[in-house]
Amino acid sequence: MEKLLESLDDAPIIDKDGYEYLVHPISNGVPQLDPTLLREVVTEVMQTADLDVDKIIAPEAMGIHLATALSLQTDIPLVVIRKRPYGLEGEVSLHQETGYSESEMYINDVEDGDRVVIVDDMLSTGGTLAAICDALDGIGADIVDIVVVLRKVGDSALDDTKYDATSLVDITVENGEVTVHSKP
């Protein structure tokens, strides 16, 4: 995880109405995402996650490139939870709130009994992952695992669910600096 840890040292932090937002290649594609960093992260996710699943689930937009690379390496189909409706049969909507925004999201192509792993770039406030878990439970999917690349240490909305997320690295972002709390 050498490249990931190094990349945290260089990642800018911006203020979003009092919320310290980490701008990172894995999360935002800004600064540019070096393929060796993505490869390192995907390899670690493959070694960490329970991938005995039918589908990989990723929320739009930050988790898409990570989940796409994982899908290519594992041949497990990918379902992206979208930020706009398509009106397809069986589409399920959910409302998510984060530390800096809220919106509706839409799930397609997940059915009762599907075994899924949720993959995302960051667990911060947990609002997105908690809403996704609630919606997937409502569908009847079996959430086998949740893996995030980075987790901000502290309380999150995911704490109020029956699910835990595994992170590759735990961090805090305070006073414009990233502190790593767990190293692989």
Side-chain angles (χ1 to χ4, degrees):
M1 299 302 301
E2 180 180 327
K3 291 242 178 241
L4 179 58
L5 295 172
E6 287 174 7
S7 70
L8 290 169
D9 292 335
D10 300 328
I13 298 166
I14 61 172
D15 182 271
K16 282 195 163 198
D17 298 322
Y19 179 86
E20 290 188 280
Y21 186 91
L22 174 68
V23 180
H24 189 270
I26 288 292
S27 293
N28 308 97
V30 176
Q32 73 181 355
L33 178 55
D34 183 318
T36 59
L37 172 60
L38 181 59
R39 187 177 304 109
E40 176 185 88
V41 167
V42 169
T43 299
E44 189 69 22
V45 169
M46 289 172 60
Q47 294 171 356
T48 302
D50 182 343
L51 296 175
D52 182 18
V53 296
D54 303 309
K55 297 173 183 173
I56 297 167
I57 307 287
E60 184 180 0
M62 308 311 189
I64 293 176
H65 53 282
L66 174 65
T68 299
L70 182 63
S71 177
L72 286 169
Q73 290 298 312
T74 61
D75 289 326
I76 300 170
L78 168 62
V79 173
V80 176
I81 299 178
R82 304 304 304 229
K83 292 183 178 180
R84 66 175 170 259
Y86 290 90
L88 300 174
E89 185 176 332
E91 185 171 73
V92 174
S93 67
L94 61 99
H95 182 79
Q96 61 97 17
E97 296 181 29
T98 70
Y100 53 88
S101 71
E102 64 180 280
S103 64
E104 298 299 312
M105 297 183 84
Y106 303 88
I107 303 173
N108 286 286
D109 298 319
V110 177
E111 299 174 8
D112 183 19
D114 281 347
R115 292 174 48 81
V116 302
V117 59
I118 303 170
V119 178
D120 205 2
D121 63 308
M122 170 97 60
L123 170 55
S124 183
T125 64
T128 300
L129 285 175
I132 289 170
C133 288
D134 185 52
L136 290 171
D137 281 345
I139 293 169
D142 178 12
I143 302 171
V144 173
D145 205 353
I146 302 170
V147 179
V148 297
V149 177
L150 303 169
R151 174 179 27 215
K152 284 188 175 179
V153 173
D155 295 335
S156 84
L158 194 62
D159 297 337
D160 297 329
T161 73
K162 63 184 179 183
Y163 299 103
D164 294 315
T166 301
S167 62
L168 303 186
V169 178
D170 290 345
I171 62 170
T172 53
V173 179
E174 293 178 321
N175 302 319
E177 293 187 12
V178 176
T179 302
V180 174
H181 291 276
S182 65
K183 293 186 180 181

